[in-house]
Amino acid sequence: MTANTDSTPSRMTSTQAWVAYLSKVELPVLANTLQNINELTESSNSTVNELAKVILNDAQLTSQVLRLSNTVFYNQTRTQVSTVSRAITLIGFDAVKAMAISSLVVDTLLKRSKRPYLLKCLARALHGAVQARCLLPRRNEHALEEVFIGALLMNIGELAFWSCETEQADELEQRLEQGEAEVESQKAVLHCTFTEITRGLVEAWSLGPFIRDVVAPGQAKSPATSLVRHSVEMARVSEQGWRGADMDRLLDALATDTGQSPSAIRDQLKVNAGEAAKMAVSLGIPQITELMPGARPAEGTEPQQPAPIRDPSLQLEILRDLTRILTEKPDINEVCQLITEGIHRAIGMKRVALLMSDRSGQTLTPRKLAGPGTEQWKDCFVLRRDGTGALGRLLPHGAATRYVPTPGAVGISEDRWLGKVPALTGALLANGRLVGMFYADNAGATPEPSEDQLAAFSHFLQNAQLCLTILSSRG
């Protein structure tokens, strides 16, 4: 290959070359920021302020940390958190540090590539991290977040590699798709392995002694290190199901790590997998939930998946949160995020979208999404305000209503269900003008949206409309 250019990097032929390339050419900002965060310790107010400063310097990171701070996974008291300093005080330095690291990794890598292998690796990393955190027997805050980050970054070399648009990535992807063995393919194309690149990055990025022990060769040096290794391996094996010889072997290993029985561990793993899927949604990557165990449909069977189960208690909790937010300082982004989650998880609608006017004011495009397969809506779910176009009939004409497709209704090629299945729709108005709408359907699942679901949908919609009205009145 010719000399290195910005668009065509030279072929890397050693671990050192890959570490240097990833650190200095592809991901220098991520490397520096992770190093800075990892060097902070909760030893004084100054380091707390330094962590807050790192987060506040990035608006997207601030938003992600605050959203995670208000999830049950981190905030079981459900006390509302609206500032980074409040999050550090209420939830803890290590927890906020873990949120910042996970958000940085996810956002940085996904902005660079949408390769299927990157998404698969992210799903595996996040699943393993949540499992390690939930399984840890000694649950002090520092240890919880240490194993979470250890598992999340255990395969940082592979994550970093798949985020790069290089010829070697294309070549390896092709080999793997043809069924070639993973390690042998890595050696042939990269002249090293992902494991070796990871160890190099851990050193180069100063990710800390615990992660260094996790990725080091040989036996684990501590029970926590062993737990992380087994959790990440279990996340990989679970992609083929919860049964089998490999899974049984890992259940025995995890039982030793945690002091529980293999049967108890198996039951807990399934619950934890659900938490990992929720975490993925909170991190803004709902598309990877389909790559996690129990969530990925067999090809051709996705339309037959049942809709989520309605959860009235969760609905009540979210409505209480909305009431509190509206009586304090309404934030339309926070309100709409809660409502989108509520329609999906509490009402039990499989796919949910909030669409808002674009800059031209002529079309509505997705702003919030929830549910499997909705990520593609960012590119294809567009409604013209004049009601024309393939999906124009989905425009609501007032308060919450049930959309019923006409016989032979046509849709769009990108989504086989939009416009063709019953749905719930509702308008958002500002000064009497349509500025947005909520849409929810169950794809090909049955049953159709019920009267109870429509009533609950209407209740959520009223809260969104009230927030808009309050903000409009304030000028």
Side-chain angles (χ1 to χ4, degrees):
M1 183 175 289
T2 58
N4 182 34
T5 68
D6 289 340
S7 59
T8 310
S10 300
R11 290 183 71 88
M12 267 58 71
T13 57
S14 69
T15 302
Q16 293 76 13
W18 277 109
V19 170
Y21 175 70
L22 293 170
S23 302
K24 298 177 181 179
V25 179
E26 292 283 357
L27 298 165
V29 175
L30 176 63
N32 290 335
T33 307
L34 284 179
Q35 183 173 349
N36 291 339
I37 292 178
N38 271 289
E39 287 174 350
L40 298 176
T41 58
E42 193 178 9
S43 58
S44 68
N45 287 333
S46 63
T47 54
V48 171
N49 293 336
E50 288 168 5
L51 176 60
K53 183 179 179 180
V54 170
I55 296 170
L56 290 170
N57 280 340
D58 185 327
Q60 174 68 15
L61 180 58
T62 300
S63 176
Q64 286 278 52
V65 166
L66 291 178
R67 182 159 67 245
L68 289 170
S69 296
N70 287 292
T71 62
V72 176
F73 186 78
Y74 280 109
N75 184 354
Q76 296 185 358
T77 67
R78 299 190 69 87
T79 301
Q80 184 64 30
V81 175
S82 56
T83 66
V84 172
S85 57
R86 175 62 171 158
I88 296 174
T89 300
L90 179 67
I91 300 172
F93 180 93
D94 287 297
V96 174
K97 177 178 169 182
M99 295 177 206
I101 290 174
S102 54
S103 297
L104 274 169
V105 169
V106 168
D107 289 345
T108 302
L109 299 183
L110 284 183
K111 283 178 182 176
R112 300 172 50 79
S113 175
K114 295 294 190 293
R115 287 183 184 272
Y117 282 100
L118 174 60
L119 295 177
K120 183 177 181 179
C121 194
L122 274 173
R124 189 177 296 167
L126 185 60
H127 182 202
V130 171
Q131 290 286 2
R133 188 182 191 274
C134 292
L135 290 171
L136 187 69
R138 293 178 295 280
R139 303 179 65 83
N140 67 75
E141 180 199 334
H142 179 72
L144 284 174
E145 307 315 332
E146 189 172 58
V147 298
F148 179 89
I149 295 302
L152 185 74
L153 301 182
M154 182 175 163
N155 292 310
I156 188 63
E158 183 176 3
L159 285 166
F161 172 84
W162 287 124
S163 75
C164 300
E165 297 300 326
T166 64
E167 288 187 4
Q168 282 165 284
D170 294 337
E171 185 180 337
L172 181 59
E173 188 173 50
Q174 185 177 18
R175 284 173 176 258
L176 294 176
E177 288 175 351
Q178 292 173 350
E180 295 187 20
E182 291 187 15
V183 174
E184 286 73 12
S185 296
Q186 292 167 29
K187 291 178 178 178
V189 177
L190 283 65
H191 304 280
C192 59
T193 65
F194 286 148
T195 299
E196 291 166 340
I197 295 175
T198 290
R199 289 170 184 160
L201 292 180
V202 167
E203 293 294 336
W205 295 5
S206 301
L207 296 184
F210 182 75
I211 299 178
R212 189 183 304 121
D213 288 344
V214 167
V215 302
Q219 291 187 337
K221 295 182 179 180
S222 69
T225 302
S226 178
L227 173 63
V228 167
R229 292 181 179 182
H230 290 141
S231 295
V232 172
E233 186 180 0
M234 184 281 304
R236 177 183 60 81
V237 172
S238 69
E239 293 165 7
Q240 307 305 319
W242 296 111
R243 299 286 176 180
D246 287 340
M247 180 59 72
D248 290 343
R249 171 180 59 80
L250 284 166
L251 286 173
D252 289 338
L254 287 168
T256 300
D257 292 335
T258 62
Q260 301 184 57
S261 68
S263 60
I265 289 290
R266 191 193 303 272
D267 291 339
Q268 190 173 350
L269 292 181
K270 296 177 182 178
V271 175
N272 296 345
E275 291 299 319
K278 294 176 186 177
M279 173 67 80
V281 174
S282 297
L283 280 168
I285 45 174
Q287 66 270 37
I288 73 168
T289 60
E290 297 182 25
L291 303 174
M292 292 179 175
R296 181 178 59 187
E299 185 173 351
T301 65
E302 188 273 337
Q304 305 305 318
Q305 288 185 349
I309 298 174
R310 189 175 172 217
D311 188 341
S313 62
L314 178 59
Q315 178 182 331
L316 182 59
E317 285 182 25
I318 294 176
L319 288 172
R320 285 172 177 165
D321 286 345
L322 287 168
T323 300
R324 177 184 47 72
I325 293 170
L326 291 173
T327 57
E328 294 176 356
K329 187 177 181 181
D331 179 282
I332 188 63
N333 187 62
E334 183 179 6
V335 167
C336 288
Q337 182 68 40
L338 267 176
I339 290 173
T340 302
E341 181 180 357
I343 295 172
H344 175 55
R345 294 179 53 221
I347 296 180
M349 297 301 296
K350 187 174 182 181
R351 310 191 303 176
V352 184
L354 165 65
L355 297 93
M356 298 293 289
S357 291
D358 64 2
R359 291 183 178 180
S360 72
Q362 301 304 309
T363 59
L364 302 179
T365 57
R367 295 288 181 85
K368 304 286 184 183
L369 298 168
T374 56
E375 186 66 19
Q376 66 178 342
W377 286 1
K378 291 180 179 179
D379 300 318
C380 68
F381 196 173
V382 178
L383 298 181
R384 298 175 187 167
R385 283 171 49 89
D386 61 7
T388 60
L391 299 177
R393 61 191 176 280
L394 294 180
L395 279 174
H397 300 287
T401 58
R402 185 189 290 107
Y403 164 78
V404 179
T406 58
V410 297
I412 56 176
S413 59
E414 295 88 346
D415 189 291
R416 62 191 301 186
W417 306 116
L418 280 176
K420 297 183 180 181
V421 295
L424 301 178
T425 64
L428 291 177
L429 307 174
N431 299 320
R433 183 173 181 271
L434 178 70
V435 295
M437 63 171 283
F438 278 96
Y439 170 91
D441 70 27
N442 283 329
T446 55
E448 299 177 3
S450 67
E451 288 293 334
D452 286 344
Q453 287 177 313
L454 176 60
F457 179 82
S458 177
H459 201 163
F460 276 122
L461 192 67
Q462 289 169 18
N463 280 272
Q465 185 61 62
L466 179 57
C467 184
L468 270 179
T469 302
I470 292 173
L471 294 175
S472 297
S473 67
R474 292 179 178 179

